[in-house]
Amino acid sequence: MTPQWIADRWPRVTTALAELDLQGFPACRWSRERRRTTWPVRSTYYYNAQRQLQRITFAGTTGDYRRLLHLLSTHYGFVNRPTNTPNVILFEVPSQENPPHSYLWVRPAAVLKATDPLRRFELTLVLERP
């Protein structure tokens, strides 16, 4: 994925985000699932000095995170890690580095509404190039 690929596929991309030695391209759009509810999807694509995709971050909501977790555990080796915060579920790629680079935070939404089943969990996902 190149910065041009991102700009061609997302309706709104910011180009001024930088994090130390990485150039970030935040992208945001409203998504619709099953015509019931819309919610914002926020992704940021970070490129290193060689213009290689180094990191992808994602923040959003879901009604059920199990399919995403299955994909992450099958393809990237994510495993469950205990936390000191009772309402946070953490999955990460085992790593010798601290903190681990790739992780998924899952938190229950502050308010659960029966009329909004797709917003039961808040997700933060970071995928880092090994």
Side-chain angles (χ1 to χ4, degrees), residues 16-45:
L17 180 65
E19 182 180 302
L20 297 176
D21 58 343
L22 300 177
Q23 174 68 43
F25 293 87
C28 184
R29 72 172 155 198
W30 288 88
S31 295
R32 183 177 289 279
E33 184 173 315
R34 298 183 190 148
R35 297 186 205 144
R36 298 178 77 177
T37 306
T38 59
W39 69 95
V41 174
R42 295 173 310 280
S43 296
T44 305
Y45 302 86

Side-chain angles (χ1 to χ4, degrees), residues 2 12 31 70:
T2 65
R12 183 170 187 266
S31 295
H70 177 72

Side-chain angles (χ1 to χ4, degrees), residues 36-79:
R36 298 178 77 177
T37 306
T38 59
W39 69 95
V41 174
R42 295 173 310 280
S43 296
T44 305
Y45 302 86
Y46 292 93
Y47 291 85
N48 60 26
Q50 293 76 37
R51 308 244 336 137
Q52 295 175 312
L53 184 59
Q54 181 65 38
R55 179 185 309 142
I56 301 172
T57 65
F58 167 83
T61 61
T62 187
D64 186 350
Y65 62 89
R66 291 177 295 181
R67 280 182 36 191
L68 174 62
L69 181 58
H70 177 72
L71 172 85
L72 294 173
S73 61
T74 301
H75 294 286
Y76 298 102
F78 277 64
V79 296

